[in-house]
Amino acid sequence: MFSHLARRRILPNLPLSSLTTSSVKQFFSTMTIADYPIILTERPAVCSLVPPGQCQFNATFQPVPLLDRTPCGLGGTSYLLRFGLPDDNKPMDLTTCACLLANVKLMDNEKKELVDVIRPYTPISANNQVGCFDLLIKDYGENGWLSKYMCEDLPIGGMVNFKHIDPNVKIPAPFTHKKIGMITGGTGITPMMQALHAILGKGSESMKSATDEISLLYGSRNKNDILGGEMLEKWAKEHEGKFNYVDVLSHEPADSDYSGERGFIDKEKIAKYLPPASLGDDVIIFVCGPPIMYKLMCGPRTETEVTGMLGELGYTSKQVFKF
């Protein structure tokens, strides 16, 4: 029964440099059960906000160990990875919404040497977790150098370097907009999960967003590619009337039992599900996904002008935030 629960004080109070795979596994056998579910369907939304500048990770890479790795989803290629923190007596204190940069040295088979690989990742855990944080990662195989390493090759107790810099802070919560629309694809879902924590989770009055309605359009190839769908479905049921979650599958087999939206996210689906531009300052649309999604939906991330489908539907630069 305890296999579905995550642990709190997972590692003994030892220098990170002294930790090995065997010592971590040995400690796993004697650790106490804690309060942080690692199974997605057991995770509640939690509003625990901190202002920028308090994150345990700073501008210098710091090594922390992998504490646990749990498969999730239908396709067998998605994993929730739990990592330790530099100070395991404190929460990470990462601003919502913000990401981390991960770094490991991996062998470049062409150069025949170790090279630094750096990628951004957005934690899906909240700041109520003491001593650990969670990443939801898709294993892209040979097409995802670092994701493949962390999902397949990194041993429990193995170290990954993380850092956090000011540009990693995107748009801070609490949010002032009454209506929020979300358009996302692939691993672009993780910043939306972070924002949903802030909007749907219980918190103090000072942490509450003004948002009374969130609509999420999540584009994937098929059901197996949906990242974290079981948690999103749970939150949508728990917050019916406030959070509307819509999958849009482009390559789901015609004879499957899937009954939701098919094809691609287009102007018709945006108009059907997302708050309209006519609401003015009360609405904002979050966009996060691969480069082609930005191009089609709103224009490149590097440009403030809103083009693409959202531009054609009348949304302005004040109404669209490009993650």
Side-chain angles (χ1 to χ4, degrees), residues 224-239:
N224 291 343
D225 282 339
I226 297 172
L227 191 62
E230 55 267 55
M231 184 174 73
L232 295 171
E233 290 178 357
K234 172 180 181 288
W235 288 0
K237 290 179 181 178
E238 292 174 344
H239 302 276

Side-chain angles (χ1 to χ4, degrees), residues 215-230:
S215 299
L216 168 62
L217 288 175
Y218 184 15
S220 305
R221 287 182 56 83
N222 54 53
K223 289 190 296 185
N224 291 343
D225 282 339
I226 297 172
L227 191 62
E230 55 267 55

Side-chain angles (χ1 to χ4, degrees), residues 173-229:
F175 307 110
T176 60
H177 305 85
K178 293 182 180 180
K179 314 291 183 184
I180 295 180
M182 298 176 171
I183 300 175
T184 187
T187 55
I189 191 62
T190 55
M192 305 302 156
M193 292 176 174
Q194 208 179 72
L196 288 167
H197 266 298
I199 300 168
L200 301 177
K202 294 181 179 179
S204 65
E205 286 296 321
S206 63
M207 293 183 183
K208 287 185 177 179
S209 295
T211 310
D212 57 26
E213 183 180 315
I214 318 106
S215 299
L216 168 62
L217 288 175
Y218 184 15
S220 305
R221 287 182 56 83
N222 54 53
K223 289 190 296 185
N224 291 343
D225 282 339
I226 297 172
L227 191 62

Side-chain angles (χ1 to χ4, degrees), residues 74 222-224 249 252-262:
L74 299 176
N222 54 53
K223 289 190 296 185
N224 291 343
L249 304 185
E252 180 68 11
D255 59 353
S256 81
D257 60 357
Y258 175 72
S259 60
E261 294 283 359
R262 292 176 179 266

